[in-house]
Amino acid sequence: MAGRLRVGLIGCGSQGRFLSEALRMTDRAELVACADPSADAAQTAMSQCGYAAAFESAGEMLEAAELDAVIIATIHDQLQPMAMAAVAAGKHVFVEKPMALCAADGLALVGAAAAADVRLMVGYTLRFMPDRILMKQLIGEGLVGDITHVSTGQCIGPV
């Protein structure tokens, strides 16, 4: 695919806006449209993140907007159904965790994405943080010694 990825957002709350801001910083995506049942939330995503259009329905957005991919950051019980809708519309999907409320629904989503030949990624983004990558490398190389106990937080921000 040449050019920038045309992205939509389903779920315009704080996590959806956070992910949109992170994506916007890469300069590899065009934030095309967002959808949320709350018109206020959708308007906030438009003004804060720069989405060009807002919809009150994810289905309406998937049908009307020209998108390559969708970020899904809804409440937990809507993550899998919204991801299934996006996959059915032929869109690549980044879905926040948990991708489903049970294993069967998660497997159904993975199968649907494979059948539709679209990419599916579950949003456990902390694995890409430099501190976590280094920690995994040091443990993998056996440079930490025998680990008998681990106590940690999210490793986000100043300590």
Side-chain angles (χ1 to χ4, degrees):
M1 171 185 326
R4 294 169 32 160
L5 196 64
R6 297 170 300 184
V7 177
L9 170 66
I10 299 174
C12 299
S14 60
Q15 185 64 11
R17 293 192 314 269
F18 171 78
L19 292 168
S20 299
E21 286 293 324
L23 184 59
R24 190 171 69 165
M25 290 181 349
T26 70
D27 199 36
R28 294 187 175 196
E30 177 186 352
L31 304 181
V32 174
C34 58
D36 198 292
S38 165
D40 289 342
Q43 289 300 316
T44 299
M46 279 184 65
S47 64
Q48 284 184 0
C49 305
Y51 282 97
F55 296 86
E56 288 187 28
S57 156
E60 183 183 0
M61 180 189 78
L62 290 170
E63 189 174 308
E66 288 191 39
L67 304 172
D68 302 307
V70 178
I71 298 168
I72 302 174
T74 63
I75 58 175
H76 289 176
D77 69 350
Q78 291 301 302
L79 290 167
Q80 193 264 6
M82 292 295 107
M84 289 292 277
V87 165
K91 311 305 179 200
H92 301 290
V93 174
F94 176 96
V95 60
E96 258 305 340
K97 64 183 183 324
M99 68 188 262
L101 298 182
C102 68
D105 288 348
L107 289 171
L109 178 55
V110 169
D117 196 28
V118 296
R119 304 241 181 210
L120 170 68
M121 180 178 179
V122 180
Y124 187 68
T125 57
L126 297 180
R127 74 183 78 174
F128 301 112
M129 294 181 70
D131 292 348
R132 287 177 180 234
I133 292 170
L134 176 61
M135 185 173 23
K136 183 179 185 306
Q137 176 187 346
L138 294 174
I139 292 169
E141 293 175 2
L143 298 174
V144 196
D146 293 332
I147 299 173
T148 59
H149 178 81
V150 175
S151 178
T152 185
Q154 290 189 9
C155 302
I156 297 175
V159 179

